[in-house]
Amino acid sequence: EYPHTWLPILSWLPRYKLKWLQMDLLAGATVGLTAVPQVLAYAEVAGLPLEYGLYSAFMGGFIYTLLGTSKDVTLGPTAIMSLLCFSVVGGQPHRAVLLSLLCGIIQALMALLRLGFLLDFISSPVIKGFTCAAAITIGFGQIKNILGLKDLPPQFFLEVYYTFKKIPEARIGDVILGLICLSLLVMLMLMKKTLDSEAVHSNSTFSRKLVWVVATMRNALVVIAASLVAFSWEAFGHDVFTITGKTVQGLPPFRPPPTWDNTTNGTIVPFGEIVEGFGDGLAVIPLMGLLESIAIAKAFGYQNDYRIDVNQELLAIGVTNIMGSFVSGYPVTGSFGRTAVNSQTGVCTPAGGIVTSESTFNVSLYCWDSLFICSLVISTEVDILPFVVTFLMSFWQVQYGIIGGVAVSGALLLYSTARPKITVSDYGSLVMQFSSGLSFPATAYLSHMVHSNALRASPPRSLVLDCCHISTIDYSVISEFRDMIRQFKRHNVVLIFSNLQPSVLEILLKADLEDMKYTEDVEEALQQLESGNVLDD
Amino acid sequence: EYPHTWLPILSWLPRYKLKWLQMDLLAGATVGLTAVPQVLAYAEVAGLPLEYGLYSAFMGGFIYTLLGTSKDVTLGPTAIMSLLCFSVVGGQPHRAVLLSLLCGIIQALMALLRLGFLLDFISSPVIKGFTCAAAITIGFGQIKNILGLKDLPPQFFLEVYYTFKKIPEARIGDVILGLICLSLLVMLMLMKKTLDSEAVHSNSTFSRKLVWVVATMRNALVVIAASLVAFSWEAFGHDVFTITGKTVQGLPPFRPPPTWDNTTNGTIVPFGEIVEGFGDGLAVIPLMGLLESIAIAKAFGYQNDYRIDVNQELLAIGVTNIMGSFVSGYPVTGSFGRTAVNSQTGVCTPAGGIVTSESTFNVSLYCWDSLFICSLVISTEVDILPFVVTFLMSFWQVQYGIIGGVAVSGALLLYSTARPKITVSDYGSLVMQFSSGLSFPATAYLSHMVHSNALRASPPRSLVLDCCHISTIDYSVISEFRDMIRQFKRHNVVLIFSNLQPSVLEILLKADLEDMKYTEDVEEALQQLESGNVLDD
């Protein structure tokens, strides 16, 4: 396990070797070049001015080096965080920055309170459902960019409707340039996939390495090329492409994030009102940020054989978001997209509709994956509901998908504790076996089963409870047991507990249930019932 | 079990015998006489004009006869529902009636959707904590009546503060009359308790029966006596007692409940705003109403050997509340107080501060009971937290107690599924046993335990998973298993599942886990590991 410390850098810096430096510098430069067009694209997904993508990517590197527990994770804007941010603040820069501050504080607090375990309650089907829906939402969002369409409503279904309605308004130059870039990107991506599967090691030739570098940095290269094309046409006075416009130059100023905002008509929106507007985003974004980062760290940890500390990751992301808000950043997290395959998505170049990398291509991969999951889920008849609920609700409002999915999977979990599997068999006397533990939601069902099978039978029958799978018990269940023992006595039949685990027996003995009878195992109970010597006392 | 039908009356009316009529009439008349002063008192707890207590008691009898499944339950205002109603609408009559309509609709819908099982999630410690807090709140509320104090703030802590602050303003006449009535009531109650415990049967003498009737109707008798005293002093012109004032005479008009309300300065408050003001009351009141009714039916069902149908009870209460709102009633439920011991509470007579039955006396009983529970709960080290949270939060706002308690007990339940007991033993190879089922919140912990005990040991060790207590499994756990199998392979050690229940094995086989190894039992797995023939394939 990773050593517990608030500053993991202290554990690896003393062991740092100079020959690692070359590798680290190379990796850093590559990631940096790949990152630029990506973070611009993510800013576009978040509905923010493009420079905000760069601002947000700024802090992660420094702080994660100090606080992070995985050597592969790079913090920065991601597709999902951008989409969530857009969904919560609707593309208002001041609020996005404030959101980053608040999310950072919440994440840091969660880390200090060691609440990382909350992540356990977001189940795989919820993650899959959400990812698939996010891929479709982001992917479809790129279509409007390729078509050069503007001013579409943010809600997904309306966006789909208006995209098709406005197809006649598409700008032909944007479409052609967009499609060329897209096919280039897909080609380069497939090339890289082939290279990767052939395992590029130190024994590969220089030319293969070059192809690998080109393929890896394909986003940056395509963006630069497309920008040059668009810029040169523009320079010659042809208005063929939609130019996004200039981005602000230079480093962002270091200043506290704004605690108020202006509406379009100049009214000041106070702090409280802004925070109220964030609503459930303040719960969803910190958790999703952590989730995304952990998913990446897990994938790379599997490859490179290390494990990470969830609460420490939370601290790293939290501090990054807090500091990020001082340089006008919006919420960030670990970015799978930067170095790995699956979450790469669109890039919005200065040449308007070009955008978009392989996102549309990846959508189909995501959904194929999800279909595969569906088939497994259906065949094992579990977990289909959380997946479907998350998927569908994500199109309504992105964060609702997670909330809905978590609620549904939590409800199913609670329902399964309320209706444990109870097997009733007849060996002369009735034997009732519980397939899992009993806790308070199960008491009503337990009572129903005992009454309908034993007490309301005519004549009433004695019952042996096989408790071998019960490892915990609570006050409500003890009360129910007390009640049951009395009722069996009233009906002149016997209730025998058997196969009690030591810890459960201890609690029952402490609770001092009047007339409780128990035996080592079911056979002994059945023998006692047959010989009839249990009714004597 | 009770036959499933929407009109249970059809199942008992054909079998009705004429000799039952005498008993039923006598019981009805007794309950009626006992009820009048009680429901007036409850209206006072709800902060409503006294006649609303009578209005609310009106519908229950008719509708429960048609729809109810317990022969003992009487629907009407109760202490807890009155307190909740006051907490939600703050004593505004129009809103209380509208609340009754909405609660009725929600309850009827829940009945049709068969959501009665939601009740299972309110655990005993929550109920106890709430009851104890409600008893203290209501009981303390009577002190201000005995003292003849007026215009105290509704919030409990403020009320306590101002009651003590205003003691010098107490009206001496009210206090004396109140204390005399109170001691009379307590005396009669103790008398009744003694009689009850001596089991009054048909063989008892007429005089004993008379004493029993007087003791049972003590509330009515004391109220009438006190009213006569107060009225006669008033008639002779002495202003010694606080007279509550006249109540409206006659039956309430039958009309649809109001869908709007006036503020004190005459502004009209629209429907939507009123409903928004109800907030979580719309969830708490329907559920608490059902809970109270079920608790009573359960207690009487135990005595009289019958069981009730939760959803049918829900329907009966729901329809009663809907119809009740047409005769200006506020939310009602099954009233334990009317015939049984525990929930009897104060009565506010025309003679002002008199009030109040044995409520203060009962408070001590409640709390004694709760202390007993606490000691049990502490000794078994379970469920103390939900009890304490419910108890404390109930003083803040009554309904918050329930919500907080349910949330805490739900969270504890979920936490226990996230951290199942895992026992690790060493028999040459490691054996890991789970004490209960595995579901998605447990995957992270499972992974942690497997890694820290087997994979990260140096050298890595083979592991046998003893799955005998696992009866359900979900997609997230299957994914984790798949991951674990791969990692064991990478580390050149072996993971063997053993003791799989047939249903779990079937799911795992369907999921088609690559390289999954499983054995009948743990011994077989250990033998295979020792002989080393598991690494061959």
Side-chain angles (χ1 to χ4, degrees):
Chain A
E1 288 303 300
Y2 208 88
H4 276 284
T5 158
W6 294 114
L7 275 177
I9 192 176
L10 298 179
S11 68
W12 61 259
L13 195 59
R15 295 183 286 114
Y16 198 85
K17 299 195 181 75
L18 212 63
K19 66 170 180 181
W20 294 356
L21 191 62
Q22 188 202 342
M23 299 285 282
D24 279 358
L25 284 179
L26 187 69
T30 315
V31 167
L33 261 177
T34 321
V36 171
Q38 269 193 340
V39 300
L40 294 176
Y42 293 146
E44 206 263 334
V45 170
L48 298 170
L50 298 193
E51 62 267 25
Y52 278 78
L54 297 170
Y55 296 164
S56 309
F58 190 69
M59 272 294 168
F62 300 109
I63 291 169
Y64 196 81
T65 310
L66 297 174
L67 299 175
T69 59
S70 153
K71 69 188 177 63
D72 298 299
V73 168
T74 34
L75 295 187
T78 67
I80 284 174
M81 292 306 276
S82 304
L83 187 63
L84 280 169
C85 180
F86 176 70
S87 167
V88 170
V89 303
Q92 300 172 80
H94 275 193
R95 298 192 190 188
V97 173
L98 187 59
L99 181 65
S100 177
L101 175 69
L102 293 180
C103 284
I105 291 173
I106 288 169
Q107 285 171 323
L109 280 178
M110 282 172 69
L112 297 177
L113 295 172
R114 311 202 72 68
L115 295 183
F117 76 88
L118 285 179
L119 206 68
D120 299 351
F121 293 98
I122 306 183
S123 66
S124 301
V126 172
I127 299 168
K128 304 277 182 190
F130 175 77
T131 317
C132 187
I136 291 173
T137 308
I138 295 169
F140 194 86
Q142 306 309 333
I143 292 179
K144 72 163 190 289
N145 290 333
I146 292 189
L147 295 175
L149 298 178
K150 281 188 169 173
D151 298 325
L152 296 178
Q155 211 282 329
F156 180 73
F157 297 110
L158 291 177
E159 188 183 327
V160 171
Y161 174 75
Y162 280 102
T163 301
F164 284 108
K165 197 179 167 190
K166 287 192 172 178
I167 279 184
E169 299 171 26
R171 293 173 62 103
I172 193 73
D174 286 353
V175 176
I176 291 171
L177 188 52
L179 289 179
I180 291 173
C181 291
L182 190 61
S183 26
L184 255 175
L185 283 170
V186 172
M187 220 177 64
L188 286 167
M189 183 184 70
L190 291 176
M191 201 187 287
K192 177 154 187 300
K193 280 214 167 145
T194 323
L195 282 172
D196 282 351
S197 61
E198 285 170 14
V200 185
H201 286 303
S202 48
N203 59 352
S204 58
T205 62
F206 175 77
S207 64
R208 290 190 65 168
K209 270 192 175 165
L210 183 70
V211 175
W212 185 85
V213 168
V214 169
T216 302
M217 294 175 10
R218 60 192 178 281
N219 286 330
L221 296 177
V222 170
V223 166
I224 293 168
S227 308
L228 286 178
V229 171
F231 184 73
S232 50
W233 280 70
E234 182 84 4
F236 287 104
H238 301 284
D239 180 26
V240 183
F241 304 112
T242 312
I243 306 287
T244 310
K246 284 183 189 167
T247 61
V248 177
Q249 287 188 351
L251 286 174
F254 189 90
R255 63 175 177 214
T259 54
W260 48 268
D261 197 12
N262 292 319
T263 58
T264 41
N265 57 24
T267 334
I268 284 178
V269 185
F271 181 70
E273 206 170 295
I274 297 179
V275 174
E276 213 178 291
F278 291 161
D280 41 27
L282 287 178
V284 172
I285 291 184
L287 270 184
M288 279 311 288
L290 178 62
L291 185 67
E292 213 180 337
S293 209
I294 297 296
I296 299 155
K298 218 174 153 181
F300 281 95
Y302 173 64
Q303 273 190 329
N304 302 332
D305 205 32
Y306 63 83
R307 284 170 68 77
I308 48 124
D309 181 315
V310 171
N311 289 308
Q312 183 63 31
E313 288 295 297
L314 200 43
L315 185 71
I317 303 172
V319 174
T320 302
N321 278 329
I322 293 173
M323 297 309 292
S325 73
F326 282 78
V327 290
S328 302
Y330 67 92
V332 300
T333 187
S335 157
F336 203 74
R338 218 78 80 232
T339 37
V341 273
N342 256 336
S343 62
Q344 289 181 347
T345 182
V347 37
C348 173
T349 74
I354 293 187
V355 188
T356 169
S357 77
E358 317 86 353
S359 67
T360 36
F361 188 80
N362 269 323
V363 167
S364 54
L365 283 183
Y366 271 131
C367 289
W368 184 250
D369 195 35
S370 297
L371 278 179
F372 180 74
I373 292 151
C374 276
S375 72
L376 172 63
V377 155
I378 290 169
S379 77
T380 54
E381 287 162 26
V382 284
D383 289 349
I384 185 73
L385 196 62
F387 175 81
V388 171
V389 168
T390 309
F391 182 73
L392 293 181
M393 283 183 76
S394 293
F395 289 112
W396 174 26
Q397 270 271 357
V398 188
Q399 73 267 37
Y400 290 179
I402 314 263
I403 294 171
V406 168
V408 167
S409 47
L412 287 178
L413 202 62
L414 287 174
Y415 189 83
S416 75
T417 68
R419 296 287 179 273
K421 279 190 218 160
I422 297 183
T423 326
V424 184
S425 354
D426 196 334
Y427 299 99
S429 293
L430 285 178
V431 176
M432 199 172 261
Q433 198 192 41
F434 311 105
S435 68
S436 60
L438 290 179
S439 42
F440 70 86
T443 47
Y445 182 62
L446 168 68
S447 167
H448 166 79
M449 289 298 281
V450 168
H451 276 84
S452 58
N453 283 290
L455 289 172
R456 309 243 139 230
S458 51
R461 306 187 61 181
S462 290
L463 180 64
V464 179
L465 295 182
D466 182 352
C467 305
C468 75
H469 293 316
I470 299 179
S471 61
T472 49
I473 201 167
D474 63 16
Y475 174 77
S476 307
V477 176
I478 298 174
S479 301
E480 187 60 43
F481 280 164
R482 188 192 304 277
D483 215 50
M484 275 162 51
I485 294 170
R486 283 200 203 120
Q487 302 228 29
F488 273 84
K489 205 173 181 187
R490 278 171 59 98
H491 287 83
N492 284 315
V493 280
V494 185
L495 177 69
I496 301 181
F497 296 82
S498 64
N499 256 333
L500 288 163
Q501 292 182 15
S503 60
V504 175
L505 179 59
E506 196 189 346
I507 292 178
L508 287 180
L509 290 178
K510 263 187 194 161
D512 197 23
L513 299 179
E514 215 181 322
D515 296 322
M516 185 182 86
K517 294 181 177 60
Y518 61 95
T519 61
E520 196 77 16
D521 51 36
V522 177
E523 283 74 39
E524 198 185 326
L526 289 172
Q527 277 170 15
Q528 283 194 13
L529 284 173
E530 242 166 77
S531 65
N533 65 3
V534 278
L535 283 168
D536 294 347
D537 52 283
Chain B
E1 288 303 300
Y2 208 87
H4 277 284
T5 158
W6 294 114
L7 275 177
I9 191 175
L10 298 180
S11 68
W12 60 261
L13 196 59
R15 295 184 286 113
Y16 198 84
K17 298 198 182 74
L18 212 64
K19 68 172 181 181
W20 293 357
L21 190 63
Q22 190 201 340
M23 301 284 283
D24 279 359
L25 283 179
L26 188 69
T30 315
V31 167
L33 260 176
T34 322
V36 171
Q38 270 193 340
V39 300
L40 292 176
Y42 292 147
E44 207 262 335
V45 170
L48 297 171
L50 298 193
E51 60 268 24
Y52 278 78
L54 297 171
Y55 297 164
S56 308
F58 191 68
M59 273 293 168
F62 300 110
I63 290 167
Y64 196 81
T65 310
L66 297 174
L67 298 175
T69 58
S70 152
K71 68 189 178 59
D72 298 299
V73 167
T74 33
L75 295 187
T78 68
I80 285 175
M81 291 306 276
S82 303
L83 187 64
L84 281 169
C85 179
F86 177 70
S87 166
V88 170
V89 304
Q92 300 172 81
H94 275 193
R95 298 192 190 188
V97 173
L98 187 59
L99 181 65
S100 176
L101 176 70
L102 293 180
C103 284
I105 291 172
I106 288 168
Q107 286 172 321
L109 279 178
M110 284 172 69
L112 297 177
L113 295 172
R114 312 202 71 68
L115 295 182
F117 77 89
L118 285 179
L119 206 67
D120 299 351
F121 293 97
I122 307 183
S123 66
S124 302
V126 172
I127 298 169
K128 304 276 182 193
F130 175 77
T131 317
C132 187
I136 292 173
T137 308
I138 295 170
F140 194 87
Q142 305 309 332
I143 291 178
K144 72 164 190 288
N145 290 332
I146 291 187
L147 296 176
L149 299 178
K150 282 187 172 176
D151 300 323
L152 296 179
Q155 212 282 329
F156 180 74
F157 297 110
L158 291 178
E159 188 183 326
V160 171
Y161 175 76
Y162 280 105
T163 301
F164 284 108
K165 197 179 168 190
K166 285 192 173 180
I167 278 182
E169 299 172 26
R171 294 172 61 101
I172 192 73
D174 286 353
V175 176
I176 291 172
L177 189 52
L179 289 178
I180 290 173
C181 291
L182 190 60
S183 27
L184 254 176
L185 283 170
V186 172
M187 218 177 66
L188 286 168
M189 185 185 68
L190 290 176
M191 201 187 287
K192 179 155 185 299
K193 280 213 169 147
T194 323
L195 282 173
D196 282 351
S197 61
E198 286 170 14
V200 185
H201 286 303
S202 48
N203 59 353
S204 60
T205 61
F206 175 76
S207 63
R208 291 190 66 166
K209 269 192 178 169
L210 184 70
V211 174
W212 185 85
V213 168
V214 169
T216 303
M217 295 176 9
R218 59 192 179 280
N219 285 331
L221 296 176
V222 169
V223 166
I224 292 169
S227 306
L228 284 178
V229 170
F231 185 74
S232 50
W233 281 69
E234 181 85 4
F236 287 104
H238 300 284
D239 180 25
V240 183
F241 304 112
T242 312
I243 306 286
T244 310
K246 284 182 188 169
T247 61
V248 177
Q249 287 188 350
L251 286 174
F254 189 89
R255 62 176 177 215
T259 54
W260 48 267
D261 197 13
N262 291 320
T263 57
T264 40
N265 57 22
T267 335
I268 285 178
V269 185
F271 181 71
E273 205 172 297
I274 297 179
V275 174
E276 213 179 290
F278 291 163
D280 43 27
L282 287 179
V284 172
I285 292 185
L287 269 184
M288 279 311 288
L290 178 62
L291 185 66
E292 213 183 336
S293 209
I294 297 295
I296 300 156
K298 218 174 153 182
F300 282 96
Y302 174 64
Q303 274 190 328
N304 302 332
D305 204 32
Y306 63 83
R307 283 170 71 75
I308 47 124
D309 179 317
V310 172
N311 288 308
Q312 182 64 31
E313 288 295 297
L314 199 42
L315 186 72
I317 303 171
V319 174
T320 302
N321 278 329
I322 294 174
M323 297 309 293
S325 73
F326 281 79
V327 292
S328 302
Y330 68 91
V332 300
T333 187
S335 156
F336 202 75
R338 219 77 82 229
T339 36
V341 272
N342 257 335
S343 62
Q344 290 182 348
T345 183
V347 37
C348 173
T349 74
I354 294 187
V355 188
T356 172
S357 77
E358 315 87 353
S359 66
T360 36
F361 189 79
N362 270 322
V363 168
S364 53
L365 283 183
Y366 271 131
C367 288
W368 185 250
D369 195 33
S370 297
L371 278 179
F372 180 73
I373 292 151
C374 276
S375 71
L376 172 63
V377 155
I378 291 167
S379 76
T380 55
E381 285 161 28
V382 284
D383 288 349
I384 185 74
L385 196 61
F387 175 82
V388 171
V389 168
T390 310
F391 182 73
L392 293 181
M393 284 183 76
S394 293
F395 289 111
W396 174 25
Q397 270 270 356
V398 188
Q399 72 268 36
Y400 290 179
I402 312 263
I403 294 170
V406 168
V408 167
S409 47
L412 288 177
L413 201 63
L414 287 174
Y415 189 81
S416 75
T417 68
R419 295 290 179 271
K421 279 189 217 161
I422 297 182
T423 327
V424 184
S425 354
D426 197 334
Y427 298 100
S429 293
L430 284 178
V431 176
M432 199 173 261
Q433 196 191 42
F434 311 104
S435 69
S436 59
L438 291 179
S439 43
F440 70 87
T443 47
Y445 182 63
L446 168 68
S447 168
H448 167 79
M449 289 298 281
V450 167
H451 275 85
S452 59
N453 283 289
L455 290 172
R456 310 245 138 229
S458 51
R461 307 187 60 180
S462 290
L463 180 65
V464 179
L465 295 181
D466 183 352
C467 305
C468 75
H469 293 316
I470 299 179
S471 61
T472 49
I473 201 166
D474 63 17
Y475 175 77
S476 309
V477 176
I478 298 173
S479 302
E480 187 60 43
F481 281 163
R482 188 193 305 276
D483 215 49
M484 276 162 51
I485 294 171
R486 282 201 204 119
Q487 302 228 31
F488 272 85
K489 206 174 180 185
R490 277 171 60 98
H491 287 83
N492 284 316
V493 280
V494 185
L495 177 69
I496 301 182
F497 297 83
S498 63
N499 255 333
L500 287 163
Q501 292 181 14
S503 60
V504 175
L505 178 60
E506 195 189 349
I507 291 178
L508 287 179
L509 291 178
K510 263 188 195 162
D512 199 23
L513 299 179
E514 216 180 323
D515 296 322
M516 185 183 86
K517 295 183 178 58
Y518 60 95
T519 60
E520 195 77 17
D521 51 38
V522 176
E523 283 75 38
E524 199 185 326
L526 289 172
Q527 277 170 15
Q528 284 193 13
L529 284 174
E530 241 166 79
S531 65
N533 64 2
V534 278
L535 283 168
D536 295 347
D537 51 283

